[in-house]
Amino acid sequence: MKKIGLFLLLSLTGILTFAQQVPVARDTLFEKAPQGLVRFYFDDHYFLVDKDCAFKSIERLSAFVVSKNAFHGEFKDFDRNGRVVLTGTYNQGVKAGPFKAYHPNGTLKWESTFVNNVAVGDWNYYYPDGRPMLTVTFDSTGGRIKSFWDRFGRQRVTAGEGNYEFKMPFEFYNEYGYPFFERKGKIRNGIPTGYWTTHMVDEKNKKILFTEEVYDRNGALTDGYNLFLDSEYKVPLTIIPSQSFLTAERMLFKACTFDDYSGFNSYLSDKLNSAFGASPTHKNLEDDFSYRVSLDKDGNPEMITLRKRLKSDDINRYFEAVLKEIPFYFPSLDENGEPIADTLAVSGKLSTNEVGAFNFHSIRIERGKKQED
């Protein structure tokens, strides 16, 4: 947990220092561009952000159909240096035709073709030097791995048969402690078969076993066990690269804070929601909460103080207990980008639906250091 927190923190020290110290005056998520186009501003996970946000990393030029809230026609995405990273075509929000993504050096990263918003045929992935990496073929039954080459150029999967070993990054914060995970197992007829493992991988490529799985001949997971949580599960991690560009179609916005960008606020929401089961005695509630948490410079919580308690005493008692189980928060940084001890103000909302299912949401974190600045 600390390892991924500090790894992510240190890798983004400069941008995080700027974002903590410079407030964004307004949110400009898109602007008019020449020739009737619109310029959209995204972070690297394709969440809309303010054009002046330190986490803005992608700009999209595209026509846009306001009545359908949808991209239309050919578009191009550019990185911070003005290099093209993705091209494609939408027909009033529906993906149509070839889509191509590019590595920072300009070589092709992947290419795919869409018909009526669905990938068809081969989706080809390439290494930065242009060598083939992975081919996933799509038909009416879904996607199957057709070919795979490792980093040494050795073909490990041919015609849907072979051994697969692929490392991918976690997209957002998690408390397991590693920034990458590696999936390994046998591919038969393009799908996972038999015994599979997932290893957590750190920035020095050190690995630790995370999950063990068994798949049947149809590629269905029959047994899954998480060694970190000592529990069984039914939904495995992906075995092929995820595509964050699809998030752009949902037009989701993130505030310009590191806690939002890193996914830590979403992690807090998920942590709280998973701790509460549905309760018929607490239906259709709306409530606010806030608390302060004192951190040491490594992000370890040392003291938690409720500022605004939830209205229900029994919910409030359990809420306090769950807060004490959150092991880590991203620490604040000083003017040199070094982690420091600080006090965070955390606020959010709680709502329950007609069956009493809990939803902790709208999490916001304010840093004492920033307030003093």
Side-chain angles (χ1 to χ4, degrees), residues 187-208:
I187 297 292
R188 294 290 180 267
N189 195 27
I191 55 179
T193 305
Y195 178 70
W196 274 64
T197 60
T198 307
H199 283 80
M200 294 293 189
V201 186
D202 68 11
E203 61 273 16
K204 296 181 180 179
N205 211 38
K206 180 180 177 180
K207 303 176 184 180
I208 184 170

Side-chain angles (χ1 to χ4, degrees), residues 10 29-30 37 47 57 64 91 93 124 126 136 144 161 164 166 171 206 209 224-225 243 246 256 278 293 298 340 351:
L10 294 174
L29 310 179
F30 52 87
L37 301 179
F47 285 87
S57 60
F64 192 75
N91 181 7
N124 296 307
Y126 305 92
V136 181
R144 292 174 180 261
E161 306 284 330
Y164 187 75
F166 199 83
E171 291 295 324
K206 180 180 177 180
L209 185 61
Y225 194 78
Q243 298 300 333
L246 299 172
C256 189
V293 54
D298 293 321
I340 60 171
S351 60

Side-chain angles (χ1 to χ4, degrees), residues 111-124:
E111 57 183 343
S112 180
T113 299
F114 289 86
V115 175
N116 292 327
N117 223 33
V118 177
V120 296
D122 289 347
W123 191 316
N124 296 307

Side-chain angles (χ1 to χ4, degrees), residues 303-321:
M303 181 181 296
I304 296 175
T305 306
L306 289 182
R307 300 174 63 194
K308 186 178 188 304
R309 303 171 68 87
L310 295 164
K311 297 171 185 175
S312 170
D313 288 338
D314 57 338
I315 296 177
N316 204 70
R317 284 192 294 270
Y318 190 59
F319 177 65
E320 289 185 82

Side-chain angles (χ1 to χ4, degrees), residues 89-154:
T89 303
Y90 284 92
N91 181 7
Q92 299 192 56
V94 176
K95 291 182 289 295
F99 275 59
K100 295 184 178 182
Y102 298 88
H103 289 287
N105 66 1
T107 61
L108 191 61
K109 184 177 183 180
W110 58 256
E111 57 183 343
S112 180
T113 299
F114 289 86
V115 175
N116 292 327
N117 223 33
V118 177
V120 296
D122 289 347
W123 191 316
N124 296 307
Y125 296 83
Y126 305 92
Y127 288 105
D129 62 3
R131 292 181 301 165
M133 179 174 69
L134 175 68
T135 297
V136 181
T137 188
F138 288 86
D139 56 26
S140 59
T141 64
R144 292 174 180 261
I145 293 177
K146 181 178 179 180
S147 305
F148 169 67
W149 292 261
D150 65 20
R151 290 186 175 275
F152 299 101
R154 299 173 299 193

Side-chain angles (χ1 to χ4, degrees), residues 1-9 12 45 169-180 200 254 258-271 298-301 325-331 365:
M1 175 278 305
K2 292 181 188 176
K3 191 177 297 180
I4 190 172
L6 293 178
F7 169 72
L8 183 57
L9 181 68
L12 292 170
H45 302 300
F170 281 102
E171 291 295 324
F172 298 106
Y173 173 80
N174 68 84
E175 64 182 19
Y176 293 122
Y178 293 80
F180 307 98
M200 294 293 189
K254 276 192 175 182
F258 184 73
D259 297 296
D260 278 293
Y261 166 77
S262 65
F264 188 77
N265 286 351
S266 295
Y267 156 78
L268 284 181
S269 293
D270 292 341
K271 187 80 170 178
D298 293 321
N300 300 306
E325 297 300 316
I326 297 172
F328 172 85
Y329 295 78
F330 283 108
I365 296 178

Side-chain angles (χ1 to χ4, degrees), residues 329-350:
Y329 295 78
F330 283 108
S332 299
L333 304 179
D334 64 16
E335 60 275 6
N336 297 315
E338 296 296 326
I340 60 171
D342 196 8
T343 298
L344 310 186
V346 184
S347 61
K349 297 180 181 296
L350 165 64

